[in-house]
Amino acid sequence: MKTSVFIPARFASTRFPGKLLEPLGDTCVLGQTVRRAIEAVGTGRVVVAADDPRLAEAASAEGVHVVMTDPSIPSGTERCLSALMLMPERVRPDAIVNLQADNPLISPLLIRDMADGITEDDEILTAAFRFDPSAGFEALFDPGEVKVVISGSRHALYFSRSIIPYVRDVEWREWTASARFHIHCGIYAYTSAMLHRICNLPVSPLEAAERLEQLRWLDNDIAIRVISASGATVGIDVPADLERARCLLASMQP
């Protein structure tokens, strides 16, 4: 199966406008994300779906293919589909990894695992890491950290901004010692056929309630397999996240 990594890149951001062009190391946030994708699968299998010429320029500087998409597209998943359909049919991949553009320190190994793991039998793939109790129970309250409950066959049972699972008959301060909690990583892989299908489904009640698009898929009985990630990633949502990423990147330099 021919798989490419698509990076949907949107300039506007409610909490941090223009964050993808903020300096990070010797490039910008988007440039660092693109480099992780290149390390995982090679330059020829990375596509940036941009909505702004400035993003296109930053991505082109890294040597990858850029597809310009409509700024009004509401989600990264739909932007991936738009980019796919704008590509010549002869070069469209059979499957894509949807890598968030604001995830500049993601492990290339995880990206590669996603690209290698998508199959006709597992048409949607995502990733999660086990919550580290040393982070403190309060960290689980953060609605920005999406929690996922995973079945024994490694399929998602539910995603939530709330704490799941609920541990009955245990004092809440002991929950992390009594149950396993998993944090969802915002990376997906889909077959092209499945990408078409999920983008044509109507918004579901669960999705509307939690503002999580993957609940639309579960609402429609679509199985989502979850692979294990080795640890947390650094998504750039607010300026403080960028400073944290800069510190981590500096610590990784030889």
Side-chain angles (χ1 to χ4, degrees):
M1 180 176 290
K2 183 172 65 176
T3 304
S4 295
V5 176
F6 279 32
I7 304 175
R10 177 173 171 263
F11 184 82
S13 171
T14 302
R15 290 188 289 176
F16 195 177
K19 63 183 180 180
L20 297 183
L21 296 178
E22 288 289 326
L24 183 59
D26 62 352
T27 180
C28 60
V29 171
L30 176 59
Q32 291 289 352
T33 304
V34 169
R35 290 178 184 181
R36 298 303 184 278
I38 291 172
E39 185 176 343
V41 299
T43 306
R45 293 170 61 191
V46 179
V47 177
V48 172
D51 76 344
D52 186 283
R54 291 165 290 184
L55 297 174
E57 182 179 0
S60 295
E62 302 297 332
V64 298
H65 184 61
V66 178
V67 178
M68 293 303 299
T69 55
D70 188 338
S72 67
I73 294 173
S75 73
T77 300
E78 291 177 66
R79 193 171 302 282
C80 286
L81 178 60
S82 176
L84 181 70
M85 298 309 296
L86 288 168
M87 296 171 66
E89 188 170 355
R90 60 182 172 79
V91 299
R92 293 176 192 168
D94 303 308
I96 71 166
V97 175
N98 176 355
L99 172 60
Q100 292 184 351
D102 61 359
N103 206 338
L105 300 185
I106 191 168
S107 165
L109 179 59
L110 175 57
I111 302 171
R112 190 179 308 125
D113 286 345
M114 296 289 291
D116 292 344
I118 190 68
T119 68
E120 293 291 349
D121 293 325
D122 288 304
E123 294 185 87
I124 298 186
L125 192 64
T126 192
F129 62 91
R130 186 174 176 182
F131 177 74
D132 182 359
S134 68
F137 182 83
E138 291 77 10
L140 285 177
F141 278 105
D142 182 359
E145 296 280 17
V146 176
K147 277 66 70 175
V148 56
V149 174
I150 306 167
S151 74
S153 62
R154 297 296 302 180
H155 286 84
L157 295 174
Y158 192 69
F159 300 84
S160 183
R161 298 187 184 279
S162 297
I163 301 174
I164 51 174
Y166 176 90
V167 185
R168 185 176 175 180
D169 298 330
V170 176
E171 204 273 334
W172 66 266
R173 293 178 182 85
E174 303 299 322
W175 279 15
T176 55
S178 304
R180 291 186 178 184
F181 295 87
H182 292 90
I183 305 298
H184 179 233
C185 300
I187 184 171
Y188 300 100
Y190 343 79
T191 62
S192 296
M194 180 56 75
L195 178 59
H196 278 275
R197 180 183 173 190
I198 60 179
C199 285
N200 285 287
L201 293 171
V203 174
S204 76
L206 288 177
E207 177 188 9
E210 296 236 29
R211 301 292 296 273
L212 296 173
E213 64 177 343
Q214 59 268 43
L215 293 179
R216 181 192 315 185
W217 314 338
L218 291 182
D219 256 340
N220 284 274
D221 299 317
I222 296 172
I224 304 172
R225 189 161 67 87
V226 185
I227 67 171
S228 295
S230 59
T233 57
V234 182
I236 310 299
D237 294 319
V238 295
D241 295 329
L242 180 59
E243 292 308 312
R244 180 181 169 215
R246 285 172 174 159
C247 291
L248 285 173
L249 184 62
S251 70
M252 294 163 58
Q253 301 301 322

